[in-house]
Amino acid sequence: MKYIFIALLACILLPVSAKKKQPNIIFIMSDDHTAQAIGAYGGLLANLNPTPNLDKLAAGGIRFENAFCNNSICTPSRASIISGQYPQTNGVLDLDGALDPEKQYLPKELKALGYSTAIIGKWHLKKEPINFDYYKVLHSQGKYFNPTFREKGKGTWPKNEVKTEGHSTDVITDLSIDYLKNLDKSKPFFLAHHYKAPHDMFEYAPRYEDYLADIEIPEPSSMYNQPFWGSEGTRGKNDSLIHYIGTSISPRHQQKINYDTNYSDRWFGDSIDASLATHLAYQKYLKDYLRCVKGVDDNLGRLFQYLKDEGLWENTIIIYTGDQGMMLGEHDLIDKRWMYEEAMRMPFIVHNPKMIEKNQVSDLIINNTDYAPTMIELAGGKTPDYMQGKSFINTLQGKPEVNWRKGTYYRYWMHIIHHYVPAHFGIRTKDYKLIFYYGKHYLPEEEFSKFYWGKTYNGIAQETPHTWELYDLKNDPNELHNRYNDPAYKAIIAELKAELKQTREELNETDANYPELKAIVDKHWND
């Protein structure tokens, strides 16, 4: 009788324990993979079918239409994702920042919940990812071919280097699959699987040479004509800075620091007509970029098939994102950094068959500080008080969010470095975007010149005009008409400025440590 009772008790308890089993989590992030280069997000490129595997992932779960980064550049975005904090709190403002090990909060919190943790691929936060149980990460940006990794257990950081052969996208996928094959499955796992691709210079695997070769890629109209876009902060007075601000597809941008900063000169020089050069440069830019994207998508197909074959698919939450967006010729701009939609917007797709119904789409405004809190709560924990981001697990469960933010804050700090983008901040709500170009680096001029480029950089990073831009996203989703000086939007601008000011105060983004910047903001706030 005693044994019958124990057997019955086991039968009762087993389903309960199975229900409480924590899900595995694979957090996949590609570098510079913008939402408009994923078929599921629609747009000019959707008919090219660049991402069939990601499209299937989205169809089987939820796609977020309004996911944004708070700084469209690799290092600070990744720091916000790992820490759940904004730059002035986590201390990583730009590419030269390094995330302190004690602020590697996401793996620490997941380990406390019983997870094994690993990161494979791009890290780009300089200091050792010591809080992961295992890591094998690229040095800095890493190489596309035959990449070298730093691996936990192979020596002391940063000398623990391991060489590999092959294209980085293939290699990173192989490494993650091998890691999963050898992993102790007795407890849940968290794997950060991070690709280098499709970061510039778009060095795709040779097998993609013929992909899109005979296709003409659709072109954004704003690459050629946009008379109402921008402000003196992005164009200069009477367009006096159009050859200086914002690297371009066309021959417009004329600075020559380190490399040709317009794509036309990089490949065609001045030997052909400017319009033809722009067209040809755009075709090359997009085809090379999309070939890298195709490599990512094909490799995700391999990874997903492995999970299905091993019976891991149903109990593994898969999250796909990019560390930011990417300008693909819109406004005649390349690279990222800008607060414009294409650079600020991130793809965010979640597969979780035990929680999320198929073909879900959310317009909730989320940002990269929310990712860690959400993953922690998916793992069964609670969002730590020190994180500034918020969990949106209710949305994943089909429930409404309570007291959610009205808009998301953005700040680009570097000012003119690399791609000649002026420093700016702003707020993006569902219907509007307000941007302030304060146009000055946070470092004093003397320290700035010494820190970045020495004497060769003196005079290049000039202070640029301090101006506002407003875009009515509901009526102008492509941001073609700056409405800041339109009297019809006066009340809306006042509301947005009040929201922006309050948000900056709440998020510790008030420039208390940067008096020169604060003086510019105060002086021009009511312009």
Side-chain angles (χ1 to χ4, degrees):
M1 189 73 181
K2 172 181 169 183
Y3 296 109
I4 294 173
F5 174 76
I6 292 172
L8 287 171
L9 184 64
C11 291
I12 294 169
L13 292 177
L14 273 174
V16 175
S17 63
K19 287 180 182 178
K20 291 183 178 180
K21 185 178 180 182
Q22 291 166 291
N24 306 311
I25 301 173
I26 300 182
F27 177 55
I28 305 169
M29 184 158 62
S30 297
D31 197 316
D32 296 348
H33 192 185
T34 188
Q36 71 264 30
I38 295 177
Y41 280 90
L44 282 177
L45 307 177
N47 289 336
L48 301 175
N49 193 29
T51 54
N53 290 301
L54 280 174
D55 297 347
K56 289 178 185 176
L57 190 74
I62 188 168
R63 181 181 83 247
F64 284 81
E65 290 288 319
N66 289 325
F68 301 101
C69 58
N70 59 45
N71 188 346
S72 182
I73 193 69
C74 301
T75 305
S77 179
R78 290 165 186 267
S80 286
I81 288 170
I82 292 292
S83 69
Q85 296 176 338
Y86 289 79
Q88 287 190 56
T89 299
N90 66 36
V92 182
L93 306 183
D94 56 25
L95 286 177
D96 295 288
L99 186 66
D100 289 335
E102 62 266 25
K103 292 189 175 182
Q104 295 172 16
Y105 294 132
L106 178 58
K108 289 170 70 174
E109 292 290 342
L110 291 175
K111 283 169 71 173
L113 293 169
Y115 278 72
S116 62
T117 60
I119 180 168
I120 295 173
K122 183 171 176 179
W123 170 238
H124 214 209
L125 292 173
K126 297 182 175 58
K127 296 189 178 181
E128 183 178 12
I130 193 66
N131 288 297
F132 288 87
D133 295 316
Y134 174 77
Y135 65 76
K136 193 165 186 176
V137 295
L138 296 167
H139 168 53
S140 186
Q141 180 59 47
K143 297 186 299 181
Y144 264 113
F145 288 96
N146 303 329
T148 297
F149 293 83
R150 292 172 176 169
E151 184 176 5
K152 191 166 188 175
K154 300 295 183 180
T156 303
W157 179 279
K159 297 181 179 180
N160 52 340
E161 293 188 344
V162 177
K163 295 183 179 180
T164 65
E165 294 185 359
H167 189 270
S168 69
T169 307
D170 301 333
V171 171
I172 289 167
T173 306
D174 290 341
L175 292 174
S176 286
I177 291 175
D178 288 344
Y179 169 77
L180 293 172
K181 284 179 179 177
N182 297 304
L183 183 64
D184 177 7
K185 306 293 196 307
S186 64
K187 63 179 183 178
F189 64 80
F190 170 79
L191 171 61
H193 173 78
H194 293 175
Y195 290 115
K196 169 186 171 62
H199 191 280
D200 198 8
M201 295 287 289
F202 312 146
E203 296 176 30
Y204 51 85
R207 64 182 180 273
Y208 295 107
E209 183 67 35
D210 293 334
Y211 175 63
L212 300 175
D214 299 323
I215 301 295
E216 183 161 307
I217 311 296
E219 300 179 352
S221 59
S222 62
M223 189 168 67
Y224 294 99
N225 182 44
Q226 47 180 350
F228 305 111
W229 167 81
S231 63
E232 289 186 11
T234 50
R235 304 170 67 129
K237 189 173 184 178
N238 298 321
D239 283 352
S240 59
L241 294 176
I242 62 170
H243 300 302
Y244 174 77
I245 291 178
T247 51
S248 58
I249 293 283
S250 78
R252 170 183 59 78
H253 193 270
Q254 295 297 314
Q255 300 298 317
K256 303 289 183 182
I257 299 296
N258 285 341
Y259 55 85
D260 288 327
T261 47
N262 71 68
Y263 224 67
S264 300
D265 280 356
R266 189 181 297 181
W267 296 105
F268 303 103
D270 57 2
S271 59
I272 56 177
D273 174 77
S275 294
L276 177 59
T278 301
H279 167 73
L280 295 175
Y282 173 83
Q283 294 298 314
K284 179 166 182 57
Y285 184 80
L286 265 291
K287 288 179 182 181
D288 290 355
Y289 177 84
L290 290 173
R291 287 163 182 159
C292 288
V293 168
K294 179 66 171 170
V296 167
D297 192 76
D298 286 350
N299 272 279
L300 289 178
R302 283 206 298 136
L303 177 61
F304 297 163
Q305 191 59 52
Y306 169 79
L307 296 172
K308 293 172 183 177
D309 292 343
E310 295 299 312
L312 296 170
W313 184 253
E314 292 299 316
N315 193 48
T316 298
I317 296 170
I318 298 172
I319 297 171
Y320 184 83
T321 189
D323 53 356
Q324 59 260 328
M326 189 75 167
M327 303 304 300
L328 299 182
E330 300 90 357
H331 309 299
D332 189 27
L333 296 171
I334 61 176
D335 198 69
K336 52 265 186 178
R337 293 168 168 81
W338 298 94
M339 196 181 165
Y340 301 121
E341 287 293 277
E342 295 83 6
M344 180 188 184
R345 188 183 184 206
M346 309 165 78
F348 199 86
I349 297 168
V350 185
H351 155 92
N352 185 359
K354 293 186 176 181
M355 180 183 292
I356 302 169
E357 295 183 8
K358 295 180 180 180
N359 292 307
Q360 298 300 302
V361 180
S362 173
D363 66 352
L364 187 74
I365 294 179
I366 62 174
N367 69 48
N368 49 356
T369 65
D370 302 323
Y371 299 173
T374 302
M375 285 187 270
I376 289 167
E377 296 205 2
L378 284 168
K382 293 294 183 184
T383 301
D385 291 340
Y386 59 76
M387 286 190 175
Q388 295 170 298
K390 299 172 64 177
S391 167
F392 48 88
I393 192 171
N394 284 340
T395 298
L396 299 180
Q397 295 171 334
K399 304 173 185 176
E401 300 291 347
V402 179
N403 297 324
W404 198 256
R405 66 174 65 89
K406 296 179 181 178
T408 186
Y409 180 72
Y410 181 91
R411 176 76 173 269
Y412 177 72
W413 288 81
M414 293 180 72
H415 188 60
I416 301 301
I417 304 299
H418 302 171
H419 285 270
Y420 298 83
V421 178
H424 59 287
F425 64 71
I427 192 165
R428 201 274 194 197
T429 66
K430 283 189 177 178
D431 291 336
Y432 300 100
K433 182 180 294 180
L434 181 69
I435 310 171
F436 178 57
Y437 289 93
Y438 59 91
K440 185 176 176 60
H441 200 277
Y442 66 92
L443 291 174
E445 185 174 349
E446 183 177 336
E447 185 180 353
F448 167 82
S449 297
K450 186 188 300 182
F451 186 73
Y452 282 101
W453 297 97
K455 293 181 180 178
T456 61
Y457 209 81
N458 288 339
I460 295 297
Q462 66 187 58
E463 188 171 333
T464 53
H466 318 297
T467 58
W468 294 86
E469 294 179 9
L470 172 74
Y471 294 96
D472 181 344
L473 301 174
K474 189 174 182 179
N475 296 303
D476 178 25
N478 295 319
E479 299 170 305
L480 299 177
H481 197 155
N482 175 16
R483 295 286 186 176
Y484 186 77
N485 293 316
D486 186 336
Y489 290 85
K490 185 177 180 180
I492 290 168
I493 290 169
E495 289 179 17
L496 290 170
K497 283 188 177 180
E499 181 75 16
L500 178 58
K501 183 178 181 180
Q502 180 180 341
T503 300
R504 280 166 55 81
E505 291 171 353
E506 290 175 351
L507 298 178
N508 184 37
E509 290 284 329
T510 57
D511 299 344
N513 296 323
Y514 307 101
E516 290 186 1
L517 301 188
K518 187 175 184 303
I520 291 173
V521 174
D522 291 345
K523 180 179 178 180
H524 295 279
W525 188 261
N526 294 316
D527 284 0

